[in-house]
Amino acid sequence: IRPMTKENISSAHDELTHLTNLIDDLHQLTIADIGGMQYSKKNEDLTLLLTSVKGKYQSYLAQSNIALTLNLPGSPINIYADKTRLLQLFENIINNSIKYAQASQLKISLKINEANESSDTATTPPVVYLTFEDNGVGVDDEHIRHLFEYLYRTDESRNRKSGGAGLGLSICRQIVIGHQGDIWAEKSSLDGLAIVIKLPLA
């Protein structure tokens, strides 16, 4: 039995919080697996949503010495989406950068149809590419394709103090699938990790 000290109580509280978050994440994934994750979709301006994200997280990122920059078009980009789920998606990715990346920069950018410019636009639905990229420690090639698997964790360089369970990006994948999109990881142009999300335009 551990002595009743402030330090031990704080430690126990941290462990309880971690387990609670783990249970919540597993619950979300189980619901998604059985098709029970609920969505309330309507037309949303992705540019406006990301601008609000900057206002919400800029100071939070600054506390971790991470500078946030946005590269957004000047006009609205409308998608048919659940705003709450999208904000959950963005929060998971941003928290991932804070906890694991050891980065000083996080860049969020939006581009429309860049990968489809040479395609037959009559048969290729218009899409938007949303990229979160940092200049942190990155992920080895052998790990990148596994990042969205349940409970998958990379080497200790991205987990040494986080206590992460490897569920955040799995939840991100389920949310993107629920919006008929795709998500993957690749090497960032800033030499860290990039998370790329492809979503259909409204």
Side-chain angles (χ1 to χ4, degrees):
I1 299 176
R2 300 165 73 181
M4 180 72 76
T5 66
K6 184 176 181 180
E7 180 179 309
N8 285 339
I9 292 173
S10 177
S11 175
H13 179 267
D14 288 344
E15 288 299 316
L16 179 60
T17 300
H18 173 65
L19 287 172
T20 300
N21 291 336
L22 175 61
I23 291 168
D24 289 343
D25 287 348
L26 285 169
H27 179 63
Q28 287 286 331
L29 290 171
T30 301
I31 290 174
D33 277 346
I34 63 175
M37 186 176 280
Q38 299 297 312
Y39 294 92
S40 179
K41 296 179 182 178
K42 63 180 182 177
N43 283 340
E44 297 285 355
D45 179 1
L46 196 51
T47 303
L48 188 62
L49 276 181
L50 289 170
T51 301
S52 71
V53 165
K54 181 178 182 180
K56 180 178 180 180
Y57 290 104
Q58 193 165 30
S59 60
Y60 179 46
L61 286 160
Q63 292 174 13
S64 298
N65 299 313
I66 300 175
L68 174 63
T69 58
L70 297 184
N71 183 13
L72 307 178
S75 56
I77 295 180
N78 292 314
I79 62 173
Y80 190 61
D82 183 319
K83 178 179 178 181
T84 300
R85 293 297 183 190
L86 284 185
L87 292 176
Q88 181 184 5
L89 168 68
F90 302 156
E91 181 175 354
N92 280 357
I93 294 174
I94 290 171
N95 281 334
N96 200 62
S97 292
I98 292 172
K99 292 178 180 179
Y100 309 139
Q102 302 173 46
S104 61
Q105 297 178 51
L106 176 63
K107 178 181 176 183
I108 305 174
S109 58
L110 273 179
K111 293 183 180 179
I112 298 178
N113 274 26
E114 182 179 75
N116 291 343
E117 288 177 351
S118 61
S119 302
D120 180 358
T121 55
T123 58
T124 304
V127 296
V128 60
Y129 292 86
L130 169 58
T131 304
F132 293 75
E133 53 185 334
D134 62 53
N135 66 338
V137 295
V139 174
D140 292 340
D141 291 342
E142 65 185 286
H143 297 301
I144 280 185
R145 64 190 179 92
H146 298 292
L147 287 180
F148 300 94
E149 297 175 6
Y150 290 9
L151 303 176
Y152 189 85
R153 291 174 52 155
T154 63
D155 59 46
E156 63 181 3
S157 65
R158 289 181 69 88
N159 294 278
R160 59 173 60 119
K161 291 183 179 179
S162 68
L167 290 171
L169 291 179
S170 297
I171 293 172
C172 289
R173 180 174 178 272
Q174 293 294 340
I175 293 172
V176 172
I177 289 173
H179 285 83
Q180 293 74 50
D182 195 9
I183 185 170
W184 64 89
E186 62 187 31
K187 185 175 177 59
S188 165
S189 63
L190 303 175
D191 292 329
L193 180 70
I195 303 294
V196 185
I197 301 164
K198 181 176 74 172
L199 295 170
L201 291 174

